[in-house]
Amino acid sequence: FMQHKIKLFGLLASISLLAIIFLYWYGNKTQKTESDTIQPTPILKPLQLENTIPQTGEQEMAFPNSAITFVFNQKIKPLSYTADIDPKVGFEIEIDVQNPQVLYLKPKQNWQFRQKYNITLTAQPSQGLSLEKPVKYSFTPIPPTRGQEVD
């Protein structure tokens, strides 16, 4: 009777050991599915203007040589931007090095008070889709109503 117990115990131990090996071996292996191997395509958004400083229209301007700030929804590709100003004025345009979603357009001479400026701006994103159409922006700088004007 004792030998049957030992044989039964050995058989149960062997089955348990095989079960543990089976679970360990197949439990650690992950089967690749189609969703694991196919990466989703990133959704590319078109470049869009989110804000301008100053806002469009008549704007008080204490410093008539202030840059116009254009804030976009994504990073701008370096050297991919152009601007046209009517009436023609000399200007510099550059990306904010700390925040490449921002472009600055700075006149080489002061903006003339009460002169309406129409600006057409194009830019390319670092990644994603281009502007659907050029940005059209206009503003008219006016002298501040309080304080001293700065020449």
Side-chain angles (χ1 to χ4, degrees):
F1 178 76
M2 191 57 130
Q3 285 185 344
H4 289 307
K5 268 185 156 177
I6 293 173
K7 284 184 182 179
L8 186 61
F9 179 77
L11 182 62
L12 288 174
S14 298
I15 292 172
S16 296
L17 184 60
L18 286 173
I20 290 170
I21 292 171
F22 177 83
L23 290 174
Y24 178 77
W25 181 260
Y26 288 102
N28 285 338
K29 284 189 174 180
T30 56
Q31 293 181 343
K32 290 197 175 206
T33 63
E34 190 174 325
S35 63
D36 291 334
T37 56
I38 298 175
Q39 297 296 321
T41 303
I43 298 173
L44 300 177
K45 296 180 181 178
L47 183 64
Q48 293 178 334
L49 182 67
E50 290 188 334
N51 196 14
T52 56
I53 302 168
Q55 298 294 314
T56 191
E58 283 192 359
Q59 298 297 326
E60 289 185 7
M61 189 170 273
F63 301 97
N65 64 341
S66 295
I68 307 299
T69 303
F70 297 90
V71 181
F72 290 89
N73 65 335
Q74 53 188 299
K75 293 178 182 179
I76 304 298
K77 182 178 178 180
L79 304 176
S80 71
Y81 40 83
T82 62
D84 183 56
I85 303 176
D86 183 37
K88 299 285 184 206
V89 295
F91 63 90
E92 296 174 355
I93 187 169
E94 61 185 30
I95 292 178
D96 184 322
V97 280
Q98 299 298 318
N99 183 0
Q101 292 180 229
V102 177
L103 280 179
Y104 298 111
L105 189 146
K106 184 171 176 50
K108 289 188 176 181
Q109 296 182 346
N110 290 351
W111 300 110
Q112 298 300 306
F113 289 131
R114 294 181 182 79
Q115 169 66 56
K116 181 177 181 180
Y117 292 94
N118 297 301
I119 299 171
T120 303
L121 181 71
T122 62
Q124 298 292 320
S126 291
Q127 298 178 347
L129 303 174
S130 301
L131 286 166
E132 292 177 351
K133 58 184 178 179
V135 171
K136 301 279 187 185
Y137 165 82
S138 65
F139 82 109
T140 304
I142 59 174
T145 54
R146 298 184 207 135
Q148 297 289 324
E149 291 181 20
V150 177
D151 292 345

